[in-house]
Amino acid sequence: NNLRESSNVKITNIHLSAISKDDLGDMISNELKLPKRLVVELGDVVHKRTSGHILFAVELLNSMVRDSTIYFSMNRRQFHCRIDRLYSLKTDETVATFIISTLSTLNPDALKALQVLSCCGFHTDVAVLELLEESDISPCRGIRSSLQYLVDVGIVEIAGGLVAFAHDLIQQHVYENIDLSQRLDLHFNIALFLGLKTSMNSASIQAMGSIEDGFKNLYISESKTAEGPVLSERSLLSIATDHINH
């Protein structure tokens, strides 16, 4: 900031746009001297973990060489990638910060889908999202229509029947930037809808309890506004159960 305010220093901003998967694949192919078909999987993962930002991509590839995820085989005289390590890569905090800076460019449906996901915690069961698809809580085109795009740009990932944010900082940013009254409405409506869709026998109450454990952010604590208390402290299960009983 001091440099920007100085009249003696001229600063030129350089904005680097993301590169495509295809271009990143070409770069990796050229650097590793391998046919492009052999680096498609590696390129896809690197692109997802870096949102296509070339500086982050180069740094990630360098770190993969340092920890031998990418290594040179003396026997075959070519580079190889340890696929088992490839899918255990996590999104770096720096990349997460970059992703956060791009969230404002998302289309309204994708942003609404992210807001619903953030209210469900760091990760959400796909089965729960399928239920929410039927509700007014979802964006106009549904959550599912935005999921693949959100996966492609590295904001969320899908594995083992769960949809998870690529980094907890992304989930935190999306969640905390929802207006408080809107956030409480989302929590309440999600709880209400899931309660209505669940037959409240003993087995399903246990299932709802399991859903609650995964929805740690869905506990609605007493919040103060200019008008006073909004909702007293009640869990998702009690809200859903109370609505069914009445």
Side-chain angles (χ1 to χ4, degrees), residues 141-160:
R141 298 180 182 177
I143 297 174
R144 201 176 319 173
S145 64
S146 298
L147 270 185
Q148 190 55 54
Y149 170 74
L150 295 173
V151 168
D152 289 343
V153 296
I155 298 176
V156 302
E157 52 195 37
I158 303 175

Side-chain angles (χ1 to χ4, degrees), residues 213-227:
D213 293 337
F215 279 48
K216 61 182 179 181
N217 282 330
L218 287 179
Y219 283 84
I220 302 177
S221 58
E222 184 172 344
S223 301
K224 302 289 184 178
T225 67
E227 293 76 23

